[in-house]
């Protein structure tokens, strides 16, 4: 159940994030601010469900890998937040986009690899 909540909240976060960036680029700051607050609530769901999943791996052989995945996930959340904030202020976001891609790749590889569904070796 927690896995479904975690994946659903991440998908919702990505959708909200993309809409926020689009709204900021089109100059609709008020709508972006409202969605940014909703996205921040979704971050709490992600952290809660991710924390419960992480707790399931404690005292197991993959504990270190799970902790690293959790840190990469927090890094992805932080990069998303920085991009949404900086795009609203029309500041450069290129370095944060690069960090977001790296963090998401790390998180997905670890999440769907050995810790997750076994799609990757």
């Amino acid at each position: 159940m927690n896995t479904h909540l975690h994946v659903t909240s991440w998908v919702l976060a990505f959708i909200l994030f993309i809409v926020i960036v689009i709204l900021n680029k089109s100059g609709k700051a008020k709508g972006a601010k409202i969605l940014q607050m909703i996205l921040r609530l979704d971050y709490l769901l992600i952290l809660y469900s991710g924390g419960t999943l992480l707790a399931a791996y404690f005292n197991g052989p993959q504990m270190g890998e799970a902790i690293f995945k959790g840190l990469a996930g927090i890094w992805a959340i932080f990069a998303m937040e920085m991009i949404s904030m900086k795009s609203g202020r029309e500041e450069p976001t290129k370095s944060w986009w690069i960090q977001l891609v790296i963090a998401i790749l790390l998180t997905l590889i670890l999440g769907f690899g050995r810790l997750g569904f076994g799609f990757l070796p």
Side-chain angles (χ1 to χ4, degrees), residues 6 13-14 21 29 38-39 43 52-53 55 60 62 83 89-90 95 111:
H6 193 62
F14 285 135
V21 170
I38 296 170
L39 179 60
Y43 291 155
T52 58
L53 291 172
Q62 298 172 331
I83 291 169
R89 292 183 278 190
E90 298 179 8
S95 63

Side-chain angles (χ1 to χ4, degrees), residues 46-60:
I46 292 169
L47 292 173
Y48 166 75
S49 60
T52 58
L53 291 172
L54 181 63
Y57 285 100
F58 275 165
N59 299 325

Side-chain angles (χ1 to χ4, degrees), residues 67-101:
I67 291 172
F68 186 70
K69 182 204 177 289
L71 291 173
I74 292 170
W75 181 22
I77 288 172
F78 187 72
M80 288 170 61
E81 180 66 17
M82 293 304 291
I83 291 169
S84 61
M85 285 175 43
K86 287 182 175 281
S87 68
R89 292 183 278 190
E90 298 179 8
E91 295 177 13
T93 58
K94 183 179 178 181
S95 63
W96 289 107
W97 278 105
I98 294 168
Q99 289 186 50
L100 178 63
V101 169

Side-chain angles (χ1 to χ4, degrees), residues 8-72:
T8 303
S9 59
W10 263 110
V11 170
L12 178 62
F14 285 135
I15 292 169
L16 287 171
F17 171 70
I18 296 300
V19 172
I20 289 168
V21 170
I22 290 170
L23 286 174
N24 280 332
K25 294 283 183 191
S26 64
K28 297 179 181 168
K30 186 171 183 168
K33 285 275 190 202
I34 292 169
L35 288 181
Q36 196 168 10
M37 290 300 175
I38 296 170
L39 179 60
R40 288 176 181 156
L41 288 173
D42 191 44
Y43 291 155
L44 293 176
L45 262 178
I46 292 169
L47 292 173
Y48 166 75
S49 60
T52 58
L53 291 172
L54 181 63
Y57 285 100
F58 275 165
N59 299 325
Q62 298 172 331
M63 181 179 68
E65 202 172 328
I67 291 172
F68 186 70
K69 182 204 177 289
L71 291 173

Side-chain angles (χ1 to χ4, degrees), residues 101-117:
V101 169
I102 293 169
I104 288 173
L105 284 175
L106 282 172
T107 306
L108 288 176
I109 288 169
L110 290 171
F112 286 109
R114 303 174 105 212
L115 297 177
F117 300 108

